[in-house]
Amino acid sequence: MEDSTMSGRSGIVVKPYRRMDVYQSEEKKQPQTLFPVTDTQTDVLEDRVTSGNLDWLKNSSYKPESQEEKQRHDLPAPVSPEVSDVYQEHSPLGHTESKRQKTADVRSDTSREDNDQRDVVVKRHRKKIKKEKHKHKSKKHKRHRSRSRSRSPAPRYSNVTEKQRKLFQNSDKVFIDEIPGLEAEDAYRIDRKSNKNNYIYGSVVDRHVAKFKRHVNVCLAADDHPTVSLREEKDPGSRVKTHNRYYNKENRKLLRSAPQAVLITNKDSLSDGEMRKEFISVSNTKSVSQVQEENQLKVDIRDQLLDRKSLAYIQGSGVILSEPEDNPIQKSYLWQKNADYNKRLRENPKDVELWIEFVNFQDRFLYEDLSDEKSTLVSMNVKKLPKQVVYEKKIMILKKAMEVNSSCVSLKLRYLELCQSHLEATEVNKELESLLFVYPTDIALWRRYLLYNQSHLASFSVTRVCKLYSTCIQKLIGYQEGSVFSRGSTEGLDRDMLDLFVQYCCFLRQAGHMEKAVGCFQALIEFNLFCPPSLESSHHQDKQNVFESFWDSGISRVGENNARGWKYWSEHPEDLPSSAALTLDTDIEQEEQDLLARNDPKWKMWLNMERLRESVHWLPWRPDVSKDETEEDCQDVERLVLFDDISSVLFTLPTWLHFEIVLQFLLFLWVDMSNDFMVSSVRSTDCQCNLDRVSQILNRNLIPECHGISKSPLLKTYVSSLLEQMVTYFDNDLNSYTVLTAVRLRFFKQCIGDNSSCLKQLKKFGKSLLKEPRNRTNLYVWSEYTALLWEVGGALEARPVVEAALSMHSGSGLGVEVDPGTRCGLVRLHRILTEIILKFPSGDLPVCGERIQNEESEKSAEEARWGLQCFVKGKSIKDPRLSENQLICSLTMKKMMTLLEGYVENLKRDVHGNSGKCVLTLQHFCEFTRCCVLYAWLSQKDMLKESIGIADLALSKVHLLLPDNQSSSPDIQQPRCEPQASNCLRVLEELHKIKVRMVVCHMSTLSAPLSCLRSAINAALSDFPSSPHFLWLFTQTELKMNVSGQLDRFFTHRLKEGAQPILLLIAVLSQVQKLRDLEEQMRKDNLCKDGEDVKISETSMIHRIRAYCDVGRDSILVQNCPLLWRLCLHTEMKYGKRERAKGMFYQALQHCPWAKMLYLDGVALFDEENLLSVTDLIMEKELRLQIPLEEVDILLE
């Protein structure tokens, strides 16, 4: 088709060598290209434009004109200056045939002026067109005016058609449909306001597309001396303000705020010539056949300009990259990790744990230090994001997660936890209650709801929280009995209710209402363990009605003197109530008089008397029937525990949980459970709000104890009576009886202490127990007694008892048919004998401590091997010793490994539940593994490596028994693990302790690198990141090195992954230990006088403790832990600043308003200053106040 263009003013037919926007219909849509049309026959002037081959600029869609058409168009015709300027303006490169005609005329009129003068003329003509466009009147150049007058005043256009005239008359139209009778081939016009960026795009409408500013001044394919400029010349006098859509100041600032990136170029793949070039070179010119082929296919120019990913984005499809790009932009580790989370969540949006992990990962942006990145990545200077930005990002992630997982409770809980600081308490409670209405059996949701109301200072009161706990348990009773239908699962609801009950009792104890907490435990044990047989199948309400009469009858309850239980009372109602419960009021009066005689300040007097009464008044007050007392005779009404106080928390437990409720009560009363297998599957320390004493996690006394009950003589009497009654109750269950008898021995040793002076009392009590008929042949009770003798009296006292106990047993005793108590006791006795022979200590060895002195090591090793061989073969240790060789040792080791395989199968069957049989089975497996480790250490050539290998083998086999995705770190938001998983975790933890102990013993006896110990501890921490035992071992190991860098880096890195209560507490305790060591060193250096406190200036330890406190305050899982606030408060007061400690005290009350020990610490640390306000707040929040200030004033008078 012949291309032609007509001027909007003169209607002259012009050549097509100009840029135009063509409106075409969809039926005749022509392909568009990036570059303008170029004639194939170029003259000399065109050759001067660019040097080189211009075949790549050819337009394959343009058909050259025939010779006749060229001659017809080349006829001379008068051309006006306007038309000439239009030709000049719309030429693609500024060199067209019309321009050459105009240049020839100028040369004839001006007597062949040089090229510079010609350029001036061209510039003036452009200026003229620009002035006409803006309608500005100005005088023209005289020379130009005279030249224009010599031209023809009115040109005649003979070649203009009617359709073209119609087009010129409607030049302001945009679409074809607006001009009737216009064909598609005539639908074109001259674009006077050209936008050179339109060359890039395939389809544009000049007036409907945004214009973008071009910042390129040269042609892409130009050589080193370009002569073509694509930027229009602007008059410096006229400054028109243009709108930079994407390149304005604000957008550039936004780009600079993005993370920096470094383009890593693979220099090895580039040649020297390519390295020197500063621009991307254009490939060689395509052949004519290739151009024709592309023309036939009509490929869009965007397919050639855009990369594959951008083109796929425009088309609305995705691209799967099989290989990485050659030159990727390497960003920081955080951004790469963030992108990886996004990718994984797009692939699996239903993974709730991954969503929560992604939310927790955002905390890394707050305090990530990129200076320790690997050398493979370039270190970036990424700015730390503000807390508000991270908070908003977490909110948006959780909203997106809840859209995909609308029925997930944990996501909604996490969302409410983040928003609770910005919402009113009523709004948060309303949201939680609406969730509880939908998911009434979700225990994690109930815990979150109760803890929020318990920790909100403004609305907190003891009465209100007790009602919430009662409402929770009463609702769960309906689902437990089946009277109320639940959409959710009720599996494991009995154990969950027991957990909530224990948490409720811990709340009462911390609030000072110890009498109510003990009364609740007494009522629940009586209600389940001593229920009359006739009422076992009755309805819950009917059982409660009968139990009320028993509770109000005045008869002794469980743990009290002469208590026989609810069952005995119902069968023998004619029996009168026994004497009253234990009271020590007379002794208290004497001690109070002694305190008053000291003449201490008022605040100290009140504090001492409050703690004194707290240590004694922990049992519910009972009227003494022999003295005709009634409930009205009670001087302190708070000591009374009525039926209304305990009726709302009573519920029925299945038989398999009876043993566990007893163990929970013993733990609640601070009975020493040093044997981890006697601890119930759910520990009270799993919940952050239950931690208030250091002794709950470590055997240390770094701060004052909050309760004096554990040292009360009344506690010894009550627990002893309780254990006797429980042993009688479990008399038919041999395994439970055995375990409780061992607890009696352990508790007696706890009461008398570890001093050697108490050895005679321990022997007397132990012999009295062993004389009982059921205990004479009970090897487990003998092993417990031997272990206690070893701890108190040493190896000389324990070894004769071990040999005497082993001489009573005949046969191997290792078969599965033997009862678990006998099997476990036999293995334990042989293990104790082996360690005594090797002179190992009874307790935990100090890390990097003193070496074990054993002058006869070879003889001791031979004797220990013989004892273990007799144990495996079923022989007596008094049999004549045979000569041993390596073959005998190998056969014995092989037999022990075969037995270990059988015990693993036995463990699979008995791992369920928490009965006495389960406790003994678990302990037997660990004790036998410990014997195998000891024998490998004694008999193999590579002692340490072989013994550690056996421990690792046992660990791997127990790992297979764990359910999938079972975590060993407790979390309030995660559901509690099942009994099987809980028992397996306890076995794993004990096996890791055996492994670490073996390494420490080897280092104390022979020698080994410290890396072996660190490797064992790190392996244990990988499985149990919140274990206080392994965390403290790691702390002691690093403190011995006197280099705190690794210890600080460890806790910093672990806290970035997520703050846990135990982890943060050990981190604070490590700094407190360092401060105490520094204080001790200063005392040794005589830097202070005797009895004077050491003045330590603010050091890095103080600042690090403050940082840990800030981390705990911002963490949902730690901010409600009373022990953390107590540690930080005491440390700040002793080594820091008083004002800062006072601020920390008020923060602690805001997060833990129920913890009475915090109020007492406030009085003890700040003296008279806080006495009145603290006592008023205690009474306002309904905490237990033993003695009001008014009573102290009366006593002082």
Side-chain angles (χ1 to χ4, degrees), residues 475-533:
K475 286 186 177 181
L476 293 177
I477 288 174
Y479 296 105
Q480 181 192 30
E481 292 184 338
S483 58
V484 182
F485 175 74
S486 173
R487 297 180 181 178
S489 175
T490 58
E491 184 180 359
L493 187 60
D494 300 322
R495 186 184 293 271
D496 293 331
M497 293 175 66
L498 180 59
D499 298 343
L500 284 175
F501 174 80
V502 173
Q503 184 176 335
Y504 171 64
C505 293
C506 290
F507 162 75
L508 290 176
R509 180 180 64 185
Q510 291 179 344
H513 295 274
M514 187 64 179
E515 299 94 342
K516 290 183 179 180
V518 174
C520 288
F521 265 111
Q522 286 179 323
L524 190 64
I525 291 176
E526 291 278 3
F527 193 76
N528 288 276
L529 273 67
F530 299 97
C531 178

Side-chain angles (χ1 to χ4, degrees), residues 673-678 683 828 831 835 844 922-930 933 951 954-955 958 982-998 1020 1023-1024 1027 1029-1030:
M673 295 288 185
S674 58
N675 187 347
D676 291 338
F677 301 104
M678 296 183 186
R683 303 176 183 177
R828 194 179 182 195
R831 191 264 304 168
E835 292 187 349
D844 293 332
L922 299 179
Q923 189 173 2
H924 167 255
F925 177 80
C926 293
E927 290 287 351
F928 187 78
T929 305
R930 194 168 176 177
V933 170
L955 284 169
V958 177
S982 177
N983 292 332
C984 289
L985 289 176
R986 284 190 282 168
V987 173
L988 283 176
E989 187 175 1
E990 186 65 23
L991 291 177
H992 277 295
K993 289 182 180 179
I994 293 172
K995 179 180 175 181
V996 174
R997 178 181 170 82
M998 191 69 255
D1023 287 342
F1024 299 92
S1027 171
H1029 178 79
F1030 298 125

